[in-house]
Amino acid sequence: MSAPDGLLLEVNDLAMRYAVRRRSPFEARRYVHAVNGIDIRLRHGETLGIVGESGCGKTTLARCILRLLEPTRGRIVLNGRDITHAKGGELRAARRDMQFVFQDPYASLDPRLRAVDLVREPLDALSTLSRAEANERAIGLLEKVGLTRAQAQRYPHQFSGGQRQRIGIARALALNPKLVLADEPVSALDVSIRAQILNLMAALREELGLSYIVISHDLAIIDHVCDRVAIIYLGRIVEQGEVADVFNRPRHPYTQALLAAVPHHDPRQRRRAAEIVGDLPNPTAPPPGCTFHPRCPKATDLCKRVAPQTTTTDGHDVACHHPD
Ligand SMILES: Nc1ncnc2c1ncn2[C@@H]1O[C@H](COP(=O)(O)OP(=O)(O)O)[C@@H](O)[C@H]1O
Ligand SMILES: [Mg+2]
């Protein structure tokens, strides 16, 4: 079943909080609001980038969408089906449609399994293929990501980092997912092979009609592979839109500062935006009003008191009292 409006994924007001472990039973209960009211709409075949500093909630957001975590608030609709609190068979069906590519291809592959077994594992668990069929499909997938039939019989330690990430991608594709979430898919890899993996992902997207959510702190990677981008600060999206719009005409001071920190070849982009000062605030006690205000060069009294609403102009969202 496909959603009538062509949306593959819709996320409304998603929130996820973690209880902070208390040192004593007399201490007040505190929470980290890791994801705090996020809205996302992803069309079939589209690639959305998620950008933000370490600790801003990117991985938690991905794990909620994949329903590895159950969110504390909000709604996740995949292909017209509400999966926010799905269980049992409904959850298994959703899991077939969404797969994860991990950051670290060294830690995420079981060293005792051969490449072919690693790719076959999800087929054995969730498909009705016979053993021989699953084997052939696994080898076919490994070939599709650029490995050979002979390499399919090797163990993870016999591969380079880039090759291991190829195995991770083949494994993610085993069940014909519609959506692949990739959390920092190339940041553990050598700079020289990052482009190869990103190009492979782009080619597979074309060939298989996939949609991606790509998490990265590297704006160049987002620029290279994404159609749209969402900028996250302390569990909230502060700006979202087409990559070209957001990167060429950033409207939020935080996005401007992120872009200013990137060495740029285009002199128009060497903008006057201030560098971001200070660290991400303590997430158990976020600042009142706009949570970015303590680090924002434009902050006014209003920003200190009132959280900004998101406004949209030509499909470009921004949550700021003083956007450009
Ligand atoms: N299992 C957990 N228990 C408690 N706090 C967590 C847990 N996982 C993440 N956090 C906290 O939630 C916030 C967001 O983390 P995370 O989603 O990993 O961010 P990112 O992927 O952007 O670095 C951080 O403050 C982190 O310390
Ligand atoms: Mg993370």
Side-chain angles (χ1 to χ4, degrees), residues 6 13 83 102 106 123 160 194 196 272:
D13 193 31
I83 61 159
F102 292 95
Y106 295 87
L123 293 168
S160 69
R194 286 181 183 176
Q196 290 173 18
R272 60 279 174 249

Side-chain angles (χ1 to χ4, degrees), residues 18 32 34 53-60 283:
Y18 299 108
V32 175
E53 282 164 281
S54 176
C56 72
K58 304 180 297 293
T59 297
T60 303

Side-chain angles (χ1 to χ4, degrees), residues 240-261:
Q240 179 168 206
E242 302 285 330
V243 167
D245 287 345
V246 172
F247 285 1
N248 292 329
R249 287 175 296 281
R251 302 188 60 208
H252 195 286
Y254 180 58
T255 315
Q256 292 170 356
L258 286 178
L259 285 162

